[in-house]
Amino acid sequence: MSGRKKREKEIFKLFFSYQIPFFIIGIALIIFSVFLNVETSLGMFLFIIGAVIIVIAPPLSIYLVKRKISKDKT
């Protein structure tokens, strides 16, 4: 495997290693909000926070990967 492909594979793994925990937390909050009844204020709050975490996970993961790469270069 060439050096470039190996580096791309490492970046891809790093991206998902950052993204998966965010998705797990977001899904857990959404599931917990369903058990608390989404119609209550706490349930709706947890649902919204979980949805926001899921939506923000990909850009946040990209930011963290870029930051890690730039930190490794210096």
Side-chain angles (χ1 to χ4, degrees):
M1 192 180 289
S2 70
R4 181 177 177 187
K5 286 212 180 235
K6 191 174 186 180
R7 181 70 177 148
E8 288 174 358
K9 196 172 187 179
E10 289 175 12
I11 291 171
F12 192 68
K13 285 181 183 178
L14 188 62
F15 172 74
F16 280 105
S17 71
Y18 285 127
Q19 191 169 0
I20 289 173
F22 289 120
F23 274 123
I24 291 172
I25 292 169
I27 290 171
L29 287 174
I30 289 173
I31 290 172
F32 192 59
S33 73
V34 170
F35 286 126
L36 288 177
N37 193 1
V38 179
E39 296 169 357
T40 64
S41 60
L42 180 62
M44 184 59 74
F45 176 75
L46 291 175
F47 183 82
I48 291 171
I49 294 298
V52 167
I53 288 173
I54 289 174
V55 169
I56 290 178
L60 186 61
S61 298
I62 291 171
Y63 169 74
L64 291 172
V65 168
K66 284 183 178 180
R67 193 170 129 197
K68 172 98 169 138
I69 291 171
S70 68
K71 202 179 233 185
D72 288 345
K73 286 184 179 179
T74 59

